[in-house]
Amino acid sequence: MRRSRKSALIYIVLSLFFVTNIFSQDTLLLEDAIRMGLENSYSIQIAQNNSSIAKNNNTIGNAGYLPNVDFGVNQGSSYQDRYQRDADETSSSISMYPTHNLTSAIQLNWTVFDGMAMFIRKEKLQLFQEQSDLYLRMEVENTIADIVYTYYNIALNRKLYDSYQERLSLSQQRLVVAREKSLIGVGYELQELQAEVDFRADSAQYVSQRSRLINLKADMNRLLRRNPDEQFQVSPTIPLPNHIEAADIYKRVSENNPAMLDARLRAEVGDLEHDEAKSARYPRVNLSGAYNFSRTGTPDAQ
C-alpha cells in the first residue's frame, strides 16, 4: 500500500516535469496567428477563386448584349479516274483527276429586344459578383473569429491549468504532512486517507485540464494549417471588451452582418429571376445576316 502510494507520487512529479517542458515554448502572437491563418486557409483560397470567376463572368457579353458571329471555312478535294472518247474515235484517260472545293460562311445573329431579359441578366451577374465578394468576406471574418476565440480560450485554460497545478502541489504537500504525522503517531489514518482522496481528485482535474489545453493547441494548429503537435505559448493577457450600447449593436448587425447581407442579395436575385421569367411574355426582335461563298475548280487539262 505504501509502495503504491509512493509510486503514484513519483508519477505525478514526473508528469509535472514533462508537462513543464512541453509548455515552455515560444510565444505565438495573435497578429502572427491571424496572418498565418489567412495565408494558409483553403476556404479563403477557394472563396478568392470563386470571386475572381464571378468577376470575369460579369460582362455584357454573358448578359446577351452583344451579337453572335459564327464563321466557318471548309476545304476539300476529291480524286477520280476519267475516261473520254471523242467523236473522231480518239480516246483519252486520266488517273486520279482532282476536284477542289472551297466553302465559307459567316453569320450574324443579334437580339435587339428580348423583353428586357438581357438587362435583368446583367443585374443578376452583378449580384452574383457581390455575393462572391461577400462569401470571401465571410470566410475571412470566420477564420479570424475562430483564431481569436481559440487563442484567448487557450490563454484562459492556461490560467486554469496553472491554478490546478498549484492546487495539486498543495494537495501533495498536505498528503506528505498527513503521512508523516501518521508515521510518528500524532495524526489519524482517516486524515491521511482524506488527504489522499483530495490528492487523487486534484490529480484527475489537473490531468483533464492538461488534455483540454493540448486539444485547444491542436485546434489552433489546425486553423493555422500547421503540425498538430507543434508546441507554442500564447500571451496570457485577455483584453476586456469595450462598452457598446445595445442599440448600436443592433444597428451594426442590421447594416454589416454578412448573413443578413447575403439574405438581402438572395431576395434581390429571386426578384430578378421572377422578372426574367415574365420577360418571356414580350416579343423578341432579332437581327440576322449571313454571307456564303463557294468555289469548285479543277486543274486545266494537259
Side-chain angles (χ1 to χ4, degrees):
M1 181 70 177
R2 298 288 184 180
R3 181 173 299 177
S4 61
R5 293 174 181 176
K6 185 176 181 180
S7 300
L9 287 174
I10 294 175
Y11 170 77
I12 294 298
V13 171
L14 291 177
S15 177
L16 291 173
F17 173 75
F18 286 117
V19 169
T20 302
N21 288 337
I22 288 175
F23 290 112
S24 59
Q25 304 294 332
D26 295 334
T27 300
L28 174 66
L29 299 179
L30 179 59
E31 295 79 5
D32 295 336
I34 293 176
R35 175 182 55 80
M36 286 188 289
L38 295 179
E39 291 176 353
N40 301 328
S41 174
Y42 298 132
S43 299
I44 293 179
Q45 294 175 9
I46 293 174
Q48 287 176 339
N49 293 335
N50 292 335
S51 178
S52 299
I53 293 173
K55 183 178 180 180
N56 293 333
N57 290 337
N58 186 16
T59 61
I60 58 176
N62 288 331
Y65 280 59
L66 303 179
N68 295 323
V69 179
D70 297 324
F71 178 75
V73 177
N74 184 24
Q75 183 178 6
S77 299
S78 61
Y79 298 89
Q80 298 176 347
D81 294 336
R82 300 183 60 180
Y83 176 80
Q84 181 176 346
R85 184 179 181 87
D86 298 331
D88 58 357
E89 298 301 327
T90 61
S91 62
S92 63
S93 62
I94 302 176
S95 178
M96 299 294 292
Y97 187 78
T99 302
H100 305 293
N101 299 312
L102 175 64
T103 59
S104 63
I106 183 172
Q107 185 175 6
L108 180 143
N109 295 307
W110 192 1
T111 301
V112 179
F113 180 77
D114 58 355
M116 308 301 290
M118 65 179 68
F119 302 101
I120 296 174
R121 286 194 293 269
K122 184 63 175 67
E123 292 184 32
K124 285 174 58 179
L125 291 174
Q126 180 63 33
L127 290 180
F128 290 154
Q129 180 180 347
E130 294 178 7
Q131 275 187 319
S132 298
D133 295 339
L134 182 60
Y135 293 155
L136 174 58
R137 172 188 162 187
M138 293 172 64
E139 290 294 340
V140 171
E141 291 181 354
N142 290 337
T143 300
I144 294 176
D146 292 340
I147 292 175
V148 172
Y149 173 79
T150 305
Y151 188 90
Y152 288 123
N153 201 9
I154 292 174
L156 175 61
N157 280 272
R158 179 55 198 263
K159 292 179 181 293
L160 293 175
Y161 169 80
D162 293 338
S163 176
Y164 292 151
Q165 187 177 15
E166 182 178 359
R167 183 174 177 178
L168 179 60
S169 178
L170 294 176
S171 298
Q172 181 183 359
Q173 295 177 11
R174 287 196 298 268
L175 178 58
V176 171
V177 172
R179 285 179 177 174
E180 293 296 331
K181 287 183 177 181
S182 179
L183 288 175
I184 63 177
V186 295
Y188 299 99
E189 185 177 0
L190 180 61
Q191 294 177 342
E192 179 183 354
L193 293 176
Q194 183 61 48
E196 185 173 355
V197 169
D198 295 339
F199 174 74
R200 291 182 180 274
D202 292 339
S203 300
Q205 195 172 30
Y206 165 78
V207 173
S208 176
Q209 181 62 26
R210 172 178 174 271
S211 300
R212 186 179 298 110
L213 187 56
I214 291 176
N215 291 334
L216 286 173
K217 289 191 175 184
D219 291 340
M220 175 62 78
N221 287 327
R222 177 182 56 82
L223 292 173
L224 304 184
R225 297 297 183 268
R226 304 195 305 181
N227 187 345
D229 297 330
E230 186 167 348
Q231 298 300 322
F232 61 91
Q233 282 283 24
V234 299
S235 176
T237 304
I238 302 178
L240 296 176
N242 297 326
H243 177 71
I244 304 178
E245 297 293 337
D248 190 19
I249 295 177
Y250 295 148
K251 181 180 179 181
R252 293 186 182 183
V253 168
S254 61
E255 294 178 353
N256 302 317
N257 183 266
M260 297 188 67
L261 295 177
D262 180 53
R264 292 169 186 163
L265 289 176
R266 290 178 181 272
E268 293 182 24
V269 171
D271 294 338
L272 290 176
E273 290 179 346
H274 179 261
D275 295 338
E276 185 178 6
K278 291 171 58 178
S279 66
R281 303 175 181 176
Y282 299 95
R284 299 173 61 92
V285 178
N286 297 325
L287 294 179
S288 61
Y291 175 78
N292 299 311
F293 173 80
S294 178
R295 185 179 67 182
T296 301
T298 60
D300 296 336
Q302 299 296 327

